[in-house]
Amino acid sequence: MKNIWTIFKKEWDRVIHDRRLVISVMLLPGLMIFLIYTFMGTAIENFTTVETANIAILNDTAGFKALYEASEDPLVTDIESITAEEVVTYQEKVDNEEWHLIIVFSAGFETYAGGVDKPGVTLYYNPNNPDSSSVFGRFQGYLITYQNSLAFELYGDTRYFILETSNTAIDPNQMMGLIFSSLLPMLTIMFLFSGAMSIGPESIAGEKERGTIATLLVTPVKRSQIAIGKVLSLSVLSLLSSLSSFIGIIVSLPKMLAYENLDASIYALGDYAMLLLVLFSTVFVIVGVISILSAYAKNLKEAGTLITMIYLVVIIVSISSFFSQGAQQNPLLYLIPIYSSVQTMTAILSFDESVLTFLMLTFASNLLYTAIFIFILNRMFDSERIMFAK
Amino acid sequence: MEAAIQVTKISKTFTLSRKQQKIEQSKTKTKVAVNDLSFEAYPHEIYGLLGPNGAGKTTTLRCISTLIKPDMGDILVQGKSVMKEAGDVRNAIGFLTSDMKLEDFFTPNYLFDYFSKLHGVPEDLAAKRKAALFHKFGIDRFAEVKVGELSSGMRQKAQLAISLVHDPDVIIFDEPTNGLDVLTAKVVTDYLIELKNEGKAIVVSTHIFSLVEKICDRVGIILNGKLKATGLLQDLVAPEDTLEDYFFRLAQEEGDIQ
Ligand SMILES: Nc1ncnc2c1ncn2[C@@H]1O[C@H](COP(=O)(O)OP(=O)(O)O)[C@@H](O)[C@H]1O
Ligand SMILES: [Mg+2]
């Protein structure tokens, strides 16, 4: 134990007393995330300017009216009753960003008394128009509340009506906001990796290159203690680095959510705790991989090359969050290191229903990989072929 | 007297990668680095392993230091086997090599304490030893200067001091004067003689005849992994002969020189 601590302490001192490393490992990740999102947020905010909300409703009901009137400000909310013939005209207006939202209650909505043919409510909005998205978000909320209140009158069925949404075709440029929010998991993984990358190789490949590994290996300290001491210190240092990323995420969330017209308060403490668990367990995996590559490499340069190759793979894997709307649903995918972390973060940020399952799979598999990596590293320290390769 | 180091018939074969095969210009996949080699070293003496590059000196010293294991044979260090009691051997041994470089970021003071702890030296004893060694090599004024900022001579002296934190009874030194400036080389060789007079058993490897003549009591001549001759310097080399001539005659017999 004492030896592990001695080795831990030295690696710790090496990083913590080196101002350049402290900045690049501890401060930069969080700061970068924050800056990127603040910059993007400000750019996008410039075109969200809600003045009046224009809503057209066909077959409005008294119950629904009572609901939204209780929450909406009548001065800025303009509700118009329209006829079935007018719906198409208003859709065009929404498409042209001249109108925000259309709500269509199906005919005979209020006379429904249970049965297979449920009435429906259809919302139409324009996701390319942030104002329209914002109004849509609010009224969708009212409708869900309305749906719940009506359900009390039904027996054994929880839904009175079917809620449907349709919208103006999405313009690729307007997708930017969405993309930036799906960028977050990737950025986080990249910062975690580059943090560990800037301190890992020196601690093992550096010792090999300088020949000091021999001095270390002729001390009576056990190889396993050397391996654990090094991995632990690198992990704790990288955890600090991940904490920095985490703080960056928290501070940036309000900005990020502004793209989707959501409020940061929608994330509860539990969501943050889950993010932290993902970050921490991912750090161990990353440090494990970097340590093994550093131990395998003959010198720092080779370690750098090997780790950069893995870094590229990690970036490609992280980019996966780009191309999927929301998180992957296949649980087996959550056993793939790094990919699972990216997907779980996406699941947390998008309130996926299975998020707990994904989190557990990710966390457990990450711990398993870490144990395997430490075992391999221990064997490598024992291998003269690896430690004294020519 | 009991031998401090007893090397008995050790052999070590390396498997070569394709790249190494090219470098070694070898057609076989393996390289016998040490071949059935035996010698002893006693307290109060410096034993020199003399041989050209690639003869197997470093490999032999690494086997003694438990860094690598011989494929055959065994080595006893103060009666402890490197194969079965590596931990005890490590406690008794100091391994020094001229290619060792200390980490630039730390000070000699820090590294001395670090290795003292890893060797389990009690703190007060470590402090006393540090004061004595640093004073001896003139490191005391630079104890708090980062290794990266030290002159190369000072760095080498710091390495020497740090490799001896545990005051080992057996000292293994691979190419002790390689790359040292002349002044530092003299400090190092003088110190080795001093350690020998204190009763340590010292094994050095070198390819420099004059170093052997200056500091070694006994010498082993190693060629192609085999020990071709071993004994007291004056017994091996007749008074009218030189070590250099003797060595080249052996190399010729071995077929190393045409
Ligand atoms: N780890 C290794 N892998 C492969 N070959 C090695 C290794 N270490 C040493 N050798 C080879 O063994 C031979 C002896 O090397 P070494 O003991 O370093 O010689 P010396 O120290 O006398 O110059 C050389 O041919 C060298 O290339
Ligand atoms: Mg050598």
Side-chain angles (χ1 to χ4, degrees):
Chain A
M1 236 359 256
K2 216 178 122 227
N3 289 331
I4 295 178
W5 168 245
T6 305
I7 287 167
F8 178 102
K9 179 80 176 22
K10 191 206 111 201
E11 298 302 331
W12 170 268
D13 285 346
R14 174 173 66 81
V15 173
I16 221 75
H17 293 141
D18 188 333
R19 198 178 311 143
R20 190 183 53 84
L21 278 181
V22 169
I23 290 174
S24 71
V25 176
M26 311 285 169
L27 294 180
L28 226 49
L31 198 65
M32 288 297 284
I33 290 184
F34 175 71
L35 286 180
I36 289 171
Y37 280 96
T38 306
F39 176 72
M40 298 302 167
T42 318
I44 289 192
E45 247 169 36
N46 288 339
F47 57 81
T48 52
T49 46
V50 173
E51 283 161 2
T52 317
N54 301 115
I55 299 114
I57 305 185
L58 176 64
N59 301 331
D60 200 0
T61 70
F64 184 56
K65 194 176 164 95
L67 240 171
Y68 65 72
E69 279 187 344
S71 314
E72 290 286 308
D73 180 350
L75 289 178
V76 293
T77 313
D78 168 26
I79 310 273
E80 258 175 53
S81 284
I82 54 168
T83 62
E85 294 75 46
E86 282 176 305
V87 169
V88 181
T89 331
Y90 276 88
Q91 280 186 350
E92 262 168 37
K93 281 185 163 192
V94 170
D95 291 348
N96 296 331
E97 304 198 6
E98 291 157 8
W99 199 262
H100 294 127
L101 180 70
I102 309 168
I103 305 174
V104 176
F105 288 84
S106 61
F109 182 89
E110 284 179 297
T111 55
Y112 174 65
V116 196
D117 274 334
K118 289 191 184 189
V121 179
T122 309
L123 292 166
Y124 188 86
Y125 78 112
N126 183 347
N128 303 320
N129 176 358
D131 297 342
S132 172
S133 303
S134 163
V135 173
F136 163 75
R138 292 206 306 272
F139 277 78
Q140 190 187 31
Y142 303 143
L143 277 167
I144 291 170
T145 317
Y146 185 45
Q147 198 176 30
N148 287 337
S149 72
L150 288 177
F152 286 117
E153 297 163 19
L154 298 173
Y155 301 101
D157 194 347
T158 49
R159 266 182 288 168
Y160 185 98
F161 61 86
I162 296 162
L163 188 58
E164 277 177 276
T165 304
S166 64
N167 51 252
T168 311
I170 293 178
D171 168 354
N173 283 332
Q174 307 282 334
M175 283 294 287
M176 288 299 273
L178 260 175
I179 289 182
F180 283 126
S181 67
S182 51
L183 201 66
L184 186 85
M186 175 185 106
L187 279 179
T188 312
I189 297 287
M190 278 170 56
F191 285 129
L192 285 190
F193 200 96
S194 58
M197 195 157 94
S198 55
I199 51 176
E202 175 63 34
S203 136
I204 300 175
E207 296 254 19
K208 269 176 83 173
E209 180 173 324
R210 284 190 307 273
T212 45
I213 195 81
T215 321
L216 193 58
L217 293 177
V218 288
T219 63
V221 179
K222 286 205 185 76
R223 269 72 167 147
S224 59
Q225 292 177 326
I226 297 174
I228 293 174
K230 294 218 177 232
V231 168
L232 263 186
S233 62
L234 291 180
S235 297
V236 171
L237 287 162
S238 307
L239 284 184
L240 287 180
S241 170
S242 73
L243 217 54
S244 159
S245 302
F246 180 69
I247 291 170
I249 295 176
I250 293 197
V251 196
S252 327
L253 264 181
K255 292 282 178 198
M256 189 191 98
L257 293 169
Y259 309 141
E260 299 179 56
N261 298 294
L262 295 170
D263 193 323
S265 61
I266 58 168
Y267 289 111
L269 216 59
D271 299 316
Y272 292 117
M274 288 194 286
L275 277 179
L276 214 53
L277 276 182
V278 175
L279 290 185
F280 278 19
S281 64
T282 311
V283 158
F284 281 115
V285 172
I286 290 176
V287 166
V289 170
I290 288 182
S291 301
I292 286 177
L293 291 177
S294 306
Y296 174 78
K298 289 187 185 70
N299 50 45
L300 278 170
K301 191 161 158 264
E302 193 184 331
T305 314
L306 289 174
I307 292 170
T308 308
M309 272 158 51
I310 298 295
Y311 188 35
L312 290 180
V313 175
V314 164
I315 290 178
I316 290 168
V317 169
S318 320
I319 285 177
S320 66
S321 62
F322 255 54
F323 302 108
S324 56
Q325 284 276 357
Q328 293 287 346
Q329 296 298 314
N330 182 352
L332 283 180
L333 293 173
Y334 288 81
L335 299 176
I336 306 174
I338 306 295
Y339 186 75
S340 62
S341 305
V342 173
Q343 290 299 321
T344 306
M345 276 193 264
T346 310
I348 295 169
L349 291 172
S350 62
F351 303 102
D352 197 285
E353 283 176 2
S354 322
V355 67
L356 273 180
T357 315
F358 297 156
L359 177 71
M360 268 167 42
L361 283 172
T362 304
F363 192 75
S365 63
N366 278 350
L367 286 193
L368 180 70
Y369 291 124
T370 309
I372 294 173
F373 290 154
I374 289 188
F375 177 76
I376 294 176
L377 196 63
N378 182 19
R379 294 291 290 266
M380 293 177 87
F381 273 112
D382 233 352
S383 156
E384 54 188 63
R385 278 190 75 155
I386 290 169
M387 286 297 119
F388 301 101
K390 260 218 150 178
Chain B
M1 201 184 336
E2 200 201 333
I5 300 172
Q6 175 145 31
V7 179
T8 316
K9 293 176 162 301
I10 60 160
S11 294
K12 180 77 187 176
T13 304
F14 292 109
T15 24
L16 300 178
S17 64
R18 202 159 286 146
K19 200 168 129 211
Q20 282 172 295
Q21 248 171 299
K22 233 181 240 164
I23 296 169
E24 301 261 332
Q25 299 182 326
S26 151
K27 292 211 172 54
T28 51
K29 277 212 174 64
T30 55
K31 163 84 197 179
V32 182
V34 175
N35 189 353
D36 199 30
L37 184 136
S38 308
F39 70 90
E40 299 88 44
Y42 295 90
H44 289 284
E45 79 165 4
I46 300 181
Y47 184 92
L49 266 185
L50 177 66
N53 270 341
K57 304 182 295 295
T58 301
T59 305
T60 305
L61 297 192
R62 280 181 179 166
C63 285
I64 301 174
S65 314
T66 74
L67 289 170
I68 62 180
K69 282 200 168 96
D71 306 326
M72 276 183 280
D74 198 357
I75 300 166
L76 299 184
V77 175
Q78 296 192 318
K80 310 284 183 189
S81 154
V82 295
M83 305 295 285
K84 296 181 211 100
E85 298 149 298
D88 293 322
V89 173
R90 283 178 201 143
N91 269 322
I93 236 167
F95 179 76
L96 289 83
T97 153
S98 49
D99 1 287
M100 181 184 126
K101 293 174 200 74
L102 297 172
E103 227 165 307
D104 282 355
F105 181 75
F106 293 103
T107 64
N109 192 22
Y110 187 100
L111 290 170
F112 194 97
D113 292 347
Y114 173 62
F115 281 105
S116 295
K117 279 184 205 144
L118 292 183
H119 275 287
V121 182
E123 249 172 66
D124 48 341
L125 186 58
K128 243 182 256 160
R129 252 179 225 161
K130 180 165 67 180
L133 281 169
F134 279 19
H135 179 71
K136 166 155 212 77
F137 295 126
I139 305 168
D140 28 14
R141 281 173 300 144
F142 304 99
E144 292 301 344
V145 179
K146 285 185 183 170
V147 169
E149 287 155 23
L150 291 176
S151 70
S152 70
M154 197 52 73
R155 216 177 299 163
Q156 283 152 348
K157 285 184 264 186
Q159 278 160 27
L160 180 62
I162 284 163
S163 304
L164 298 173
V165 288
H166 54 310
D167 191 27
D169 287 333
V170 176
I171 294 163
I172 311 292
F173 207 149
D174 195 13
E175 305 275 3
T177 55
N178 248 21
L180 300 197
D181 66 81
V182 279
L183 292 175
T184 319
K186 171 135 178 62
V187 174
V188 169
T189 49
D190 286 353
Y191 188 58
L192 284 177
I193 291 169
E194 200 180 314
L195 289 171
K196 163 187 120 173
N197 292 335
E198 283 173 22
K200 316 263 185 211
I202 301 170
V203 175
V204 301
S205 78
T206 185
H207 59 271
I208 304 168
F209 301 108
S210 61
L211 181 72
V212 174
E213 286 165 335
K214 199 156 62 194
I215 68 169
C216 294
D217 305 288
R218 288 193 312 125
V219 64
I221 293 179
I222 181 171
L223 290 166
N224 284 331
K226 285 175 284 200
L227 201 70
K228 300 308 281 183
T230 179
L232 285 172
L233 255 180
Q234 61 264 36
D235 290 351
L236 288 182
V237 187
E240 66 282 358
D241 203 359
T242 64
L243 176 62
E244 202 166 334
D245 289 339
Y246 177 68
F247 174 85
F248 284 122
R249 277 203 304 281
L250 282 179
Q252 217 150 17
E253 276 171 36
E254 177 66 20
D256 271 12
I257 314 171
Q258 270 76 44

